[in-house]
Amino acid sequence: SSEEASKRKERAFVRTLTSINQSNTTTSSIMSASSKAAERDPLLPYARQFGSINDEDENDDGKRFERRGASSDDVENGRKKTFFLFDHGGAHSSRDASSRAKIHASFLYVLLACVLFFSGAMVGSSSSPLSKMILMSKEDGVASAKGQPRNQHHRLGTMATIENAPGQKTLSSTLMNNNNKNKNNNNNNNNKNKNNGTAQSSDVDDSSSSSESSSGGQEGASEEDAYQSLMEMFGIFGGAAPPTREAIEEPEPSLSEENQDLLKEEENHYSRIGSDLGYFRAPSVRNDTLVFVSEGSIWLSHLRGGPAARISSSYSYESVPKLSPDGKRIAFLAEAADGFEVFELPIAGGVARQVTHGAQAYGLSQWSGDHELLILTTQFSDLGNPQLAKVDALTGKVSVLPFEKAHGGSKDPKGCYLFYPLRQSSSTKRYEGGEQARIWRWCGEGAVGANGTAWSEAKELTPESWSMRGAWSPQTTDKLSGKVFFISDKTGVANLWVMNDDGSKKTQLTFECEFDVMEYAIDGTRIVMRVGADLKSATLSAAQIEGGVIISEATTLKINLLSEFREAQPMLLSDPLYEMSELAISDDGIYGAFIVRGQVYFSPLVAQLGTRIEKVTQYEGMVRYKHVQFIPNSHPSDPIKLLALSDASGEYDYVVLERDEDNGVSYWSEAQVTQDGAIQGGLSYSQISPDGTSLAFDDTNGHVKLVNFTNTIVNTEEFRTPISPEDDPIGAGGLGGAEDFSSEMPLLSRMQNSGADEEEVLDAASILIKRQRVLDKRTKKMQAGRKFVKADMRAPNFRETSTSSSSSSPNVASLGNPQQQQQSANVNANKKKVNNNKPPSSSAKLSASDNNQANVRNIVSGLQPESAGEYAWSPDGTWLAYVSLYQDTDFEVIYAWNTKTNERVRITPPSSNSRSPTFSPDGLFLYYFNDAQFSSGSNSPYGSRGSEPVYEDGESLYCLPLREGLACPFFSGDEMNAAGTVFDPTLGQKYPTKISMKNIEKRSEVVPFVDRARYESMYIIGSGATILLNMYDSMGSYLIAVDIMQGYVTPIYPDAYDVLVSRDLQVVVLFTEEGVALMSAQTIAETPDQDAILAQALLWLPPETWTVKLNPREEWMQMYDEAMRTMRDNFYDPNLHGVDWPAVTERYRPLVKRLTSKNELRDVLEQALGELSVLHVFVDVEGGEAFEKIGMGQSSACLGAKFEQVPQGLRITKIYDTSEVLMAPNSPLSAMAVDLRPGDIITRIDGVLVNALSDPLPKLLMGKAYSQVLLEVIRGPRTKEEMAELEELQEMIESVQQSSSSLGVAQSNALRRSSLSSSSMASKRSRTSTAAAPSGDGQQNSPKRSGEQYFNGGTLNAFNPLTDIARSALKSNRLGSHSSSAKPSKDADSSKSSDGASKSSSSGKMGEEEEEELVMLDRVVVVPLDVGTCSALQKADALNRRKAKVRHDSNDTIGYVYLEDMVQEGPETHSMDDFASQFYPNLRKGGLIIDVRRNHGGNIDTWVLERLRRVAWMFESHRSGPGETTMQYSFRGKVVVLIDEMSSSDAELFAAGFQTMKLGKVIGARSWGGAVGYSGNPECSLVDGGSFTIPSFGPYLGNEWLIEQKGVIPDIPVANLPIESFHGTDKQLDAAIREVLKEIKASPDVKIPEHPQFPVRAYDNAKCLADQQEEGAKTEL
């Protein structure tokens, strides 16, 4: 047939060209050494090694990427010469006659090609020597040569090539590369010619090709591809038919109405809307003065409102201002270095004065007197509870009030204290759990209790019998005597109430229905309340009605902040790299798209392509974009396109971001491809499929969904974006026309002559400049055409609010910088101009917006949220592999779903966990991690602390051949089977991926040379023979490369933030703390040396001047909307507890518009999310970026002890004991070589007399945590025996020192004689030596320091590295004196103090003479701890006291276990270890008390319950000693559990499980009431990195939801009253001891019973013999 004849002509032509090319060998050797290197490394043409062309370049200003830990010499030695493709001399320096031959041959090729083109018979073979010829890219104007790596970008001046190097593209893709307007060149090679009009007439029958080709069918196919590629190239020059792809237009995304409203406000300058800003909190009023908090600072205004001025003076967060009684001073809390402290500021102006030091302030309640403040502090509580304390405003001395705990309080005019011990930690509304705020009143200062105690108990005014809901914030006023005002949400919304001071006649005063009354302040009869974001003012008056008080109608104060709104102003992020949340790379890995604070940016990742960073999206915080990725383009005329999620419409939808150019300036357009929130509730997402048609994701409703992009612009194989009629890509002028090509011919000639003429060599920079000029000419008309069609087809009601006036239109471009605004204006002008002059193109046919939107459908349903993910596409896009939880076994299983047949198959068995499926590039293998091979960390269930199997996390790498008969690449082969291999990656696109299910589980093999370990991720690179594995352990992560065939393992880099691989698998990108590093996959595969790999990496860093503009107000609104959406989509109850969530969202939205700082957003979110009335809702919003918050003052420190002040100094009353508590630190005073004890007195700290200051300890230790501090002390009485032990110890130390020559002989002997004589005299005289009180001049008359050397330079302190000078100085100075001491006297009376005092002050008995006791004067060096560590010391000491009490009261028959939380996450939270350390030592006790009071929860409840459920069903006995139980380590005694109002979360689940399983009784108070648990998902985080918890799973039993809003009700209710608990009474613990003792008494002995008598199984041989003898005797008779 004519078709077969045409094919024969084509093949004949190929053979002709082959022979011609073979005769001209010079042409085939044109490539330089540097271009040959580029054949191996796709990154080589872009990089000078460390920024220079060769090693001799001294101007090396490039970035170096080094292996951590490698020296600079190591890296320097690994440097290699690296050249550009176009070298500066030497690369083409041969000058011979062959140059002319090259020119002639090139022109011959062009002439022959043109002739054959017009005859319609031209064809090329990718395997023939024709592939050596040089072809000029029309677009780039540069030559390309053999061996260029696939997906090279046209801007680099690469050479077109026909020959396929291993793993490279065909001629078709390379030529299309060079004519590609798309700067990213995301090519799909499998379908690139199926719609090309010139290729339709050149289809070659596979069977025919196979019969006529020497290389078989595959060679024929390659010839066909090459032929079609040449036809496509020459179609550019001729007038070939236009493409058959339909031009499709998507609608631009529209902003939600809420964002449009905010945008209108943003069009005005901030000075015009300043009166609308202001979020007012924490009011305080006195006379006509009003102070409050806004922007994290304190403001001063008039009671009637009006202008307000900032009066706070620091950048720390300041809160809770309180005006003094005279109205002249403001006390407030400010953030210090390690907590909050109290400061005072004069209202008339001045410097803030720090009142407290190390107070650990929790809150500021009121001025209780002219110079007295009430604060909340945790400083005095051994349990870490906040307590109410008085502060002397003049001295700063803090005195705790006798309440065990208090979360707020005040002092009434009668001198009584009103306080509430509890305030639930969640922000939920309508709370009814156990941690309820109840108001108490105490008037017992100096009173005697009814039971004869020295104290009286407080009275509860708002008991649970009045309301299950709480009451808090009590205040009084002397104008309305006997009345107590408070806040309560008894009716559903928090309002102001009043009652008598005895708790009677409670009456509601305000009736807010939308927003709670949050805080209020009273001065006389005037009251100011905070409601929402406003302050409201009202007047109180007495009346003869219920409650006795009426309130006037509240008016909202109009307050205008005189502020620059520094946190709300648009700002620049100075270091955006560290704000980068996502990074995506192009198909060739040369370009990157990244997200910073929700906005998309685009940049080349190699410096030779430029360093300009383009902002892709136009917003500054109003809209968030995420999950950005490059769309694989199938045609060279397509621009770069990105796919991302956007919430511009108020819900997340997919948008396409397209890069266009206008006069060489790039700009980005945006089109929406899904609608109506189709991606709602998405949790994890796949990459787009290789054919650009599909994307999968899973959502919070248990679905796996498929987004079908087939009929959208995402599918670049089928559709294109509109272009103008005269600029069709194929046809006259479509890509510049013949005249443009001819204009590049001189450049072609120059390139071909470069080998003969050294002066004619072009460098890369000049080529790029020329290429850009050609590109600008060629694309100008095309861009105008695109803009014309887009402008014409815009949806008429895209934005209802837009008008022809640019000033009133909410155009998003107005949010950009002036350059962006001008550029946008130019674009709009061009659109209008084109629209007026040209009609739409008929060839650019558009689909209706309803028809070209992507559709979303379910492919899997009924899953748990977060139980699916880790998606992977097969190379041909037919199969989607993903991981899902197998419901029957709770193991993760890999499934595969066929997009064409809708078939779903299970790949891995449900008996182990499998994850991270990854298809090989050839589509023949699937790699994944699996934990089927595991081993126990224990050999038996016997051993200390109930040893049992522990299965550490560990996985193996598996290889699964997808077709039967295939062997994995690492298979070495045998005499019957060929070795495994890695196939050409192009097979994955040419042939469909098939999965044979027969024996699929048996075909899977473990990769033998990859260790079982913990892995994060896996990436296949290059040809498919190299796999990158990111492994991790407790120290961090490490990226390694594995050769899947040879088994080589090469370390690459540690602790990379992220690892990415380009779609063509040739470039590996690491996002590290050093920057973004690009590595060649070929280099990694062929270089087994880590240093060599890193030495060749390219490091990308953004320009140092790059900044990101951020509009905080827009971002805050976006964060609010996202938080409300996320809670809606993830809350465990789809009905949201019946709450009208859209109404709630809109109710709180106006408050967001009022914000002036980000920490106010936390308050809004807490209120809004609290409407769900669920407890596990906590908001964590990051601080603002406008300035760094700097704490006022210095950090505090402590010594780990309690003190009392005496005339000599600070006497130690208690040193915290932490000896029995796991991992608890020790007190600095009990450290080695310090050994201070209760009764010792500290007289000086670093030379300063402690009694010279009020409240000296926190002031003298300020800023000295973990620094050495010198203490001068008076050691308390030591017995003669102790002195003798010290003397013996000193002799031992001196002998060691003498033998080691650590001291000079003379000095050592002198010290020995001095110390021996001193101690000997003191012992003989039977007196004590004491220090007198300090004299007025700061000196003390001190005695000789008998035995002093035992604690300083001569003996014990020899363990410290003191110098000889320090030792001498210590000997020569008297304690408390600035003069030198006298020599030791032999007169015993010289040890008397000058005033003859032999006793200490009346504050103690330390100075009493006891014949066998001695007092010593000493100096010691200690290292104070920070206040947080000291709090842990206090808690550990309190735990030891409770243990001792239980032992004492039960005669050591009951054990005690305390759990502070239920978390096992390392050294700081180790509750499983805590339980084991306390439980197993008490295993044989008759009873056990497990105390989970004040427990904040966690997740180990089931583990603890399992230990308690072990039953001893059998006993074992040994030859001697007690028996043992089986089951091992089972507790046989009686157990009770203690809970209180602060037992929360997992502690409640433990107590409820203990009750339900009937393991014992629960004693105490009703618990917190929060059991709907939460789990973190990064998808739920906010744009700034902030987060909030989402209750996502609720416990139930039968038809009842457990615990939530109720708590665990104890079997034996016992309340710890506030005053008696402060004085040491613990009724709940007492009740537990009594209950356990009672149960032990009533039950049989729980001890292991005595074993029965040993069995007698002996045989009486003697009796047998005797019987036989007797029987024999009878027989004889």
Side-chain angles (χ1 to χ4, degrees), residues 1120-1135:
Y1120 171 77
D1121 284 330
E1122 181 151 36
M1124 301 301 283
R1125 277 197 312 264
T1126 303
M1127 181 63 78
R1128 175 201 66 192
D1129 296 338
N1130 291 267
F1131 193 63
Y1132 83 107
D1133 175 14
N1135 196 37

Side-chain angles (χ1 to χ4, degrees), residues 181-183 249 602 612 614 616 637-642 656-670 721-723 772 775-776 779-780 782-788 790 823 827 831:
K181 178 184 177 296
N182 179 0
K183 302 306 175 291
E249 178 77 19
F602 173 86
R612 187 170 72 92
E614 302 175 25
V616 177
S637 61
D638 288 335
I640 290 176
K641 294 178 182 178
L642 304 174
V656 171
L657 304 164
E658 181 178 325
R659 188 174 189 258
D660 291 329
E661 288 193 2
D662 186 13
N663 294 325
V665 178
S666 62
Y667 67 93
W668 293 80
S669 59
E670 181 176 336
T721 50
I723 56 176
Q772 188 63 53
L775 178 64
D776 293 343
T779 58
K780 184 175 181 180
M782 183 184 296
Q783 297 299 331
R786 278 209 183 97
K787 287 179 287 185
F788 158 71
K790 290 182 179 180
Q823 176 182 326
V827 171
K831 289 181 179 180

Side-chain angles (χ1 to χ4, degrees), residues 378-571:
T378 59
Q379 178 182 2
F380 301 95
S381 174
D382 291 338
L383 303 176
N385 292 325
Q387 294 175 302
L388 201 61
K390 297 183 293 185
V391 176
D392 188 321
L394 299 178
T395 65
K397 184 175 179 60
V398 183
S399 305
V400 67
L401 289 168
F403 314 140
E404 175 62 21
K405 49 183 173 285
H407 279 71
S410 63
K411 188 176 183 180
D412 67 16
K414 298 179 181 180
C416 298
Y417 291 91
L418 298 156
F419 66 98
Y420 48 103
L422 300 168
R423 183 82 169 100
Q424 65 101 4
S425 54
S426 172
S427 58
T428 190
K429 301 192 175 185
R430 295 168 287 281
Y431 172 68
E432 296 182 353
E435 196 181 15
Q436 195 58 270
R438 307 289 179 193
I439 297 175
W440 295 67
R441 187 168 184 257
W442 182 69
C443 304
E445 267 190 313
V448 178
N451 56 356
T453 60
W455 43 265
S456 61
E457 191 54 74
K459 178 184 177 181
E460 188 175 17
L461 302 184
T462 59
E464 189 174 293
S465 59
W466 172 66
S467 175
M468 291 292 292
R469 295 175 185 164
W472 59 94
S473 297
Q475 293 190 38
T476 58
T477 173
D478 55 2
K479 299 295 184 181
L480 296 169
S481 180
K483 299 298 180 183
V484 177
F485 299 88
F486 63 96
I487 297 174
S488 175
D489 61 351
K490 174 181 170 65
T491 58
V493 175
N495 273 283
L496 185 68
W497 291 66
V498 67
M499 63 180 170
N500 293 334
D501 56 14
D502 62 357
S504 62
K505 296 184 179 180
K506 300 177 181 68
T507 305
Q508 184 174 346
L509 295 179
T510 62
F511 297 88
E512 298 290 341
C513 295
E514 290 190 320
F515 302 117
D516 289 342
V517 175
M518 301 296 292
E519 307 101 20
Y520 70 100
I522 298 177
D523 178 41
T525 60
R526 291 173 295 185
I527 183 171
V528 176
M529 303 168 287
R530 198 258 284 201
V531 181
D534 288 308
L535 299 181
K536 293 186 177 183
S537 176
T539 301
L540 303 170
S541 58
Q544 298 298 321
I545 60 172
E546 182 73 17
V549 176
I550 59 174
I551 186 171
S552 66
E553 182 178 355
T555 59
T556 301
L557 299 179
K558 301 297 183 182
I559 299 173
N560 184 16
L561 299 180
L562 303 180
S563 173
E564 74 278 26
F565 302 112
R566 55 191 178 190
E567 287 200 58
Q569 286 184 359
M571 64 185 68

Side-chain angles (χ1 to χ4, degrees), residues 754-775:
S754 59
D757 190 353
E758 185 172 327
E759 288 74 22
E760 294 293 324
V761 174
L762 300 177
D763 62 9
S766 61
I767 292 174
L768 292 175
I769 294 173
K770 292 179 178 294
R771 185 216 62 80
Q772 188 63 53
R773 291 173 180 171
V774 174
L775 178 64

